[in-house]
């Protein structure tokens, strides 16, 4: 019945952010400024991000609210250039081959919608499947995704699944999520492609291996994907925007 684009039904219509002139190198991240303050942040979200750093970047408290937010954000970026954030390696749960193999074959044969990509997101393909509803033309893929989530967490209140091909960089916040996400990547890529998510503290970042692994992450925190190499990288993200699942 419906396969709709993220720009309309995923997280609302984000502002268009800058696109890199060329793909990220395998294992490389977007610029530090993009990681800390994505171009897709609203003015309210930017203020919230700056407030979050006040406990660690003391000069922000000294300056107070007398300085423009963009200047304060530059101060935060300069701080973390001098004092890099702590990277904490993580890995999702290994997914059985009986689930990953047929899913990868289905993704490699997927007929992607002939519509523009979601604004502000760097991906070759990006589509949304609606959970528990008909997705005409994607019945087999939908069935495999149901089987995968039943394995990972049968009680999770999923409302949609984001399916992507060669997603990279794109720091952003999924502000309409009401709870954590489940994320997995598949494909022939051999290096890079880690999902990087802001940690419990603003001075740490979780570097999550999702290759054939299912990870439970909070998309309401800034997150992005490192560049990958050696082949295609597909990803499936199970998420919920239904407040009854909060």
């Amino acid at each position: 019945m419906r396969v709709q684009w993220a720009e309309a039904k995923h997280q609302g219509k984000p502002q268009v952010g800058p696109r890199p002139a060329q793909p990220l190198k395998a294992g490389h991240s977007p610029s530090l400024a993009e990681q800390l303050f994505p171009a897709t942040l609203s003015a309210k979200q930017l203020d919230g991000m700056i407030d979050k750093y006040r406990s660690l970047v003391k000069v922000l408290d000294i300056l107070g609210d007398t300085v423009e937010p963009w200047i304060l954000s530059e101060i935060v970026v300069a701080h973390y250039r001098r004092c890099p954030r702590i990277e904490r390696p993580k890995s999702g749960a290994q997914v059985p081959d009986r689930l990953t193999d047929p899913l990868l074959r289905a993704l490699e044969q997927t007929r992607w919608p002939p519509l523009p990509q979601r604004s502000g997101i760097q991906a070759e393909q990006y589509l949304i499947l609606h959970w528990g509803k008909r997705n005409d033309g994607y019945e087999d893929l939908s069935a495999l995704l149901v089987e995968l989530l039943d394995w990972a967490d049968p009680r999770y209140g999923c409302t949609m699944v984001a399916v992507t091909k060669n997603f990279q960089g794109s720091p952003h916040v999924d502000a309409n999520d009401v709870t954590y996400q489940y994320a997995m990547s598949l494909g022939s890529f051999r290096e890079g492609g880690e999902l990087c998510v802001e940690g419990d503290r603003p001075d740490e970042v979780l570097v999550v291996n999702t290759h054939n692994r299912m990870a439970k992450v909070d998309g309401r925190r800034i997150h992005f994907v490192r560049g990958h190499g050696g082949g295609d990288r597909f990803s499936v993200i199970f998420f919920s925007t239904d407040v009854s699942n909060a």
Side-chain angles (χ1 to χ4, degrees):
M1 179 172 64
R2 295 185 299 176
V3 176
Q4 299 183 356
W5 281 89
E7 186 169 53
K9 292 294 183 182
H10 181 16
Q11 302 298 345
K13 186 176 181 180
Q15 301 173 23
V16 177
R19 292 176 177 271
Q22 57 186 11
L24 291 171
K25 293 181 180 179
H28 286 222
S29 299
S31 71
L32 181 59
E34 290 180 86
Q35 295 176 37
L36 297 172
F37 299 101
T40 54
L41 293 179
S42 66
K44 182 178 180 180
Q45 288 173 324
L46 176 59
D47 288 341
M49 293 295 177
I50 292 171
D51 286 342
K52 181 179 60 180
Y53 293 116
R54 290 186 186 276
S55 63
L56 295 171
V57 186
K58 300 302 183 182
V59 69
L60 296 181
D61 275 338
I62 297 173
L63 294 173
D65 298 324
T66 62
V67 179
E68 292 289 335
W70 71 268
I71 296 178
L72 297 178
S73 68
E74 289 293 338
I75 292 172
V76 173
V77 172
H79 170 82
Y80 284 110
R81 285 200 182 104
R82 186 174 66 254
C83 305
R85 294 189 294 175
I86 300 168
E87 293 188 355
R88 302 196 184 281
K90 303 287 183 180
S91 290
Q94 184 73 50
V95 180
D97 292 347
R98 65 178 177 81
L99 297 175
T100 59
D101 290 351
L103 180 56
L104 178 57
R105 286 194 295 270
L107 290 169
E108 290 173 334
Q109 298 170 11
T110 292
R111 173 184 58 81
W112 300 94
L115 297 174
Q117 300 172 355
R118 179 188 176 191
S119 299
I121 295 297
Q122 189 72 16
E124 185 177 328
Q125 304 288 352
Y126 194 119
L127 66 91
I128 291 294
L129 300 178
H130 291 256
W131 199 257
K133 300 179 180 179
R134 289 178 55 190
N135 294 284
D136 288 345
Y138 297 89
E139 292 85 358
D140 291 345
L141 177 58
S142 296
L144 292 170
L145 293 171
V146 168
E147 188 177 2
L148 176 60
L149 188 57
D150 281 347
W151 172 85
D153 185 352
R155 300 183 65 183
Y156 181 70
C158 183
T159 57
M160 303 179 204
V161 187
V163 184
T164 78
K165 180 179 180 182
N166 293 332
F167 188 109
Q168 66 159 8
S170 309
H172 66 286
V173 172
D174 293 326
N176 287 348
D177 281 11
V178 298
T179 186
Y180 54 86
Q181 305 174 344
Y182 279 106
M184 185 180 77
S185 61
L186 313 88
S188 57
F189 71 100
R190 295 190 297 274
E191 54 182 331
E194 297 90 352
L195 174 61
C196 298
V197 186
E198 186 179 59
D200 291 334
R201 291 169 49 93
D203 61 350
E204 67 178 11
V205 58
L206 310 180
V207 181
V208 188
N209 174 15
T210 63
H211 196 180
N212 293 333
R213 294 175 176 272
M214 185 69 81
K216 182 179 177 180
V217 299
D218 194 338
R220 295 165 293 185
R221 297 179 178 178
I222 296 175
H223 55 289
F224 60 91
V225 174
R226 284 181 170 171
H228 64 275
D232 288 327
R233 179 188 184 277
F234 299 92
S235 66
V236 293
I237 312 295
F238 300 88
F239 64 98
S240 178
T241 58
D242 185 341
V243 294
S244 66
N245 295 321

